[in-house]
Amino acid sequence: MADTPAKTSRAWLLDFGRGLQAAVGLHEMSQVVLTPTVFEVPYTPHYCSEILSWQDQLLPVVDVPSLLEGQKVFRSQQDVIGIAVYQKSLVNIGYAGVHLANLPTSLFVSDDQACALPPQLQYWQPLAIACFNLDNTVVPIIDLARLFSPTIRQSTFPKIPSHATA
């Protein structure tokens, strides 16, 4: 009997800066805004204190390093914003922005690359739904519905090791 070939899927590798990378499915990124104009919103969570006007909508913009580190992380440069698409419910699709340090990278991921989330990356645990090995680096696959959920602020994120956010 011949071996069954491993299933391969397309994904986006997202670089959030500060050494933080994760992946999402190909269909979960709508577009990228290269010169974003964002507006600060007072009295909002430290990781989601900005909005972006996009296609006649105001989208929240999440800063993943600020979320994972539990405090506002200031960016030294203007970055790009990925417009993410996620399933809010069985019938509703949502859009939100996410700060990125660089343009997303398209890649192919096979089932053969699947691996467990190692202890040094446990800070991704509240968001990660799976992981894969890419050139000897473990990359979490994040659930955007969790990332943009209003209940994410109640999540407890394990501490990021200081060497991880160089």
Side-chain angles (χ1 to χ4, degrees):
M1 184 164 97
D3 288 336
T4 305
K7 181 181 174 197
T8 302
S9 300
R10 296 218 27 217
W12 289 110
L13 180 63
L14 306 178
D15 180 358
F16 301 109
R18 300 179 63 80
L20 299 170
Q21 292 186 324
V24 297
L26 184 71
H27 64 282
E28 293 180 292
M29 289 300 292
S30 172
Q31 70 184 87
V32 175
V33 181
L34 297 178
T35 53
T37 300
V38 295
F39 302 95
E40 287 282 331
V41 180
Y43 306 108
T44 54
H46 65 276
Y47 61 88
C48 189
S49 61
E50 298 169 324
I51 57 171
L52 169 73
S53 179
W54 179 76
Q55 295 187 358
D56 297 325
Q57 299 179 62
L58 293 176
L59 303 182
V61 180
V62 171
D63 183 49
V64 172
S66 292
L67 174 65
L68 295 178
E69 292 187 30
Q71 62 186 355
K72 184 75 171 172
V73 174
F74 294 96
R75 294 175 303 280
S76 61
Q77 62 190 30
Q78 183 68 12
D79 51 3
V80 298
I81 293 179
I83 305 299
V85 181
Y86 65 101
Q87 194 83 31
K88 290 172 85 169
S89 67
L90 289 176
V91 294
N92 290 326
I93 292 176
Y95 294 91
V98 61
H99 280 286
L100 300 172
N102 297 299
L103 292 173
T105 304
S106 177
L107 52 90
F108 289 91
V109 179
S110 77
D111 287 349
D112 293 341
Q113 293 172 272
C115 63
L117 185 67
Q120 67 270 23
L121 295 180
Q122 286 302 306
Y123 52 88
W124 284 110
Q125 191 275 328
L127 300 173
I129 54 175
C131 294
F132 63 93
N133 188 312
L134 179 66
D135 300 326
N136 295 318
T137 300
V138 175
V139 177
I141 301 170
I142 59 173
D143 181 347
L144 291 175
R146 287 184 199 167
L147 177 63
F148 301 124
S149 166
T151 60
I152 194 67
R153 72 175 78 181
Q154 281 87 37
S155 296
T156 302
F157 288 87
K159 184 162 177 55
I160 298 176
S162 58
H163 61 79
T165 57

